[in-house]
Amino acid sequence: MQARKKYVLLGLCTCCWLLLFYWGGLQERLLGLITYRRGEVARPWPDWLDRALLPGFADQAELQNDGGPGDSPRQRRQAWAGIYKDSRCRMETCFDFARCQAPSGFRVYVYPPEKGERVSESYRKILTSVAESRYYTSDPREACLFVLGIDTLDRDQLSTQFVPNVDERIRGYPLWNDGRNHVIFNLYSGTWPNYTEDLGFNVGQAILAKASLNTEHFRPGFDVSIPLFSKEHPQKGGERGWLVRNTVPPRRKYLLMFKGKRYLTGIGSDTRNALHHIHNGKDIVSLTTCRHGKDWEKHKDARCDHDNQEYERFLVLNTRSRYRLRRGVGYLCNTRNSVKSE
């Protein structure tokens, strides 16, 4: 009889503990008792150590409304579907491997530039690198891969490097064949506010070697994602890197550097706004300016004046540093010449 009472009492206690556990109050109280320190102010979870350095900037309403004006995600997908019609291309369906089985092996043919063709410095470096490689061939019959001579890197219609009528020209090429076995290089990521990445021509079955590829229309195992590089990027390897074995962080003044425009509305505005706190002005420098577009002052926020001042200040400092460096190099050259003359 006594044993039965003990088991009943034990069962009731177990049920009570389970109810408290599932209601969620017990866990929070136990954690509070374990981690509580006398005189410590209770903080909400998670307890970020740098909470003061991470002030909220973008309003929740702006994030939910995609940051500003622009098409809906469905409209953007429809626009992309119209631009990239062969979105299901794969190597086994849109690439002719028979062209790569010639006795000469893997060869790349570069279309010769037409008379008066405008080619940017960046695209010229790409064409030159291919032409100077051991894979280049001047005979299209030996080629496995084809590279257009038309500059397709910048497809912004407001850019001075924009090449018009690309679609009509490439469809007139006898070797085009709807882009099969062709590779198209591009660094264009669209323009504000929709960023639909309209290249202005149908890439067809061509391989797209592109920077900032959107996952909506990236063709896995077919397209190639390349880094975004500037026109100052050397054609061939420059100086040796700074990072060697067991040197972390690397022996450089700046660990991270970004300089660009801070979009106040539209796609991408919430991303750049969320990263403003990483700037410390020492080894991590993130400079953004609100001066973007004609009506940027209509969307001006509380941080714009400070960001614009920091942006201009670092530009002035950078200009002065370059000027001093040039003066120093000129002084050394003049001194060396005077020593030689003596």
Side-chain angles (χ1 to χ4, degrees):
M1 190 68 182
Q2 295 295 333
R4 181 179 298 179
K5 292 181 178 179
K6 291 181 180 179
Y7 286 128
V8 172
L9 183 60
L10 182 61
L12 291 175
C13 292
T14 304
C15 292
C16 293
W17 276 90
L18 289 175
L19 290 175
L20 290 174
F21 180 82
Y22 283 110
W23 284 344
L26 180 62
Q27 280 184 318
E28 186 175 352
R29 291 187 180 90
L30 287 177
L31 289 174
L33 291 174
I34 295 172
T35 59
Y36 176 75
R37 296 180 182 178
R38 183 173 297 177
E40 184 180 13
V41 180
R43 300 179 183 179
W45 189 90
D47 184 13
W48 300 111
L49 298 178
D50 56 351
R51 179 181 295 274
L53 301 177
L54 299 172
F57 181 72
D59 295 333
Q60 189 69 20
E62 293 180 356
L63 296 178
Q64 293 176 351
N65 294 330
D66 214 6
D71 295 337
S72 65
R74 181 179 180 181
Q75 291 174 325
R76 289 196 296 270
R77 284 193 297 268
Q78 292 176 351
W80 287 327
I83 297 167
Y84 302 96
K85 298 179 180 179
D86 296 282
S87 58
R88 297 184 178 181
C89 268
R90 299 297 183 266
M91 294 298 293
E92 59 271 16
T93 59
C94 296
F95 195 87
D96 186 7
F97 287 94
R99 299 194 62 97
C100 307
Q101 298 174 357
S104 57
F106 180 79
R107 290 290 182 266
V108 182
Y109 174 78
V110 178
Y111 283 74
E114 300 179 8
K115 186 177 180 180
E117 184 74 44
R118 294 182 302 169
V119 179
S120 63
E121 184 65 24
S122 299
Y123 197 63
R124 191 183 305 277
K125 292 177 182 178
I126 294 177
L127 299 181
T128 304
S129 299
V130 175
E132 293 180 353
S133 69
R134 59 192 176 99
Y135 303 105
Y136 172 75
T137 179
S138 58
D139 189 355
R141 294 172 298 181
E142 299 179 352
C144 168
L145 202 63
F146 298 85
V147 178
L148 294 177
I150 304 175
D151 189 351
T152 57
L153 289 184
D154 191 353
R155 300 306 298 162
D156 186 356
Q157 297 184 10
L158 300 179
S159 173
T160 57
Q161 298 177 352
F162 176 80
V163 180
N165 305 322
V166 174
D167 199 46
E168 300 177 3
R169 295 172 60 182
I170 60 178
R171 281 192 280 109
Y173 292 157
L175 299 173
W176 175 243
N177 192 23
D178 196 29
R180 182 167 290 234
N181 288 53
H182 283 67
V183 58
I184 295 176
F185 293 92
N186 180 257
L187 303 178
Y188 178 65
S189 59
T191 57
W192 182 89
N194 298 327
Y195 296 92
T196 55
E197 306 179 21
D198 186 1
L199 303 183
F201 64 96
N202 183 19
V203 298
Q205 301 179 28
I207 298 172
L208 191 60
K210 180 173 168 43
S212 303
L213 263 170
N214 194 294
T215 56
E216 294 281 345
H217 51 254
F218 174 73
R219 297 170 289 187
F222 191 75
D223 291 331
V224 182
S225 179
I226 61 176
L228 180 65
F229 58 91
S230 64
K231 61 181 180 180
E232 290 82 12
H233 190 81
Q235 177 182 331
K236 298 183 178 180
E239 300 179 357
R240 294 185 59 186
W242 291 76
L243 185 62
V244 295
R245 184 178 298 177
N246 296 331
T247 58
V248 179
R251 296 189 297 268
R252 302 198 71 170
K253 180 178 180 181
Y254 296 109
L255 177 64
L256 177 65
M257 177 70 183
F258 174 79
K259 181 175 71 68
K261 297 172 182 177
R262 179 165 68 86
Y263 305 130
L264 299 174
T265 58
I267 301 174
S269 59
D270 52 343
T271 303
R272 296 194 177 185
N273 290 338
L275 296 176
H276 70 91
H277 64 277
I278 66 175
H279 171 77
N280 58 19
K282 298 177 182 178
D283 60 333
I284 299 179
V285 178
S286 177
L287 303 174
T288 56
T289 178
C290 297
R291 295 186 176 93
H292 178 254
K294 299 180 180 180
D295 57 346
W296 69 271
E297 293 185 352
K298 297 180 181 178
H299 307 283
K300 183 178 178 181
D301 54 55
R303 273 185 40 242
C304 275
D305 291 337
H306 178 266
D307 286 356
N308 293 339
Q309 291 177 2
E310 284 288 294
Y311 187 87
E312 297 294 336
R313 186 172 69 87
F314 271 85
L315 286 182
V316 172
L317 292 176
N318 190 23
T319 304
R320 290 178 179 176
S321 300
R322 291 183 179 179
Y323 176 72
R324 292 172 183 172
L325 179 61
R326 291 175 182 174
R327 288 189 60 186
V329 172
Y331 174 77
L332 291 176
C333 293
N334 294 334
T335 305
R336 183 176 298 176
N337 293 334
S338 62
V339 171
K340 288 182 180 180
S341 61
E342 293 177 358

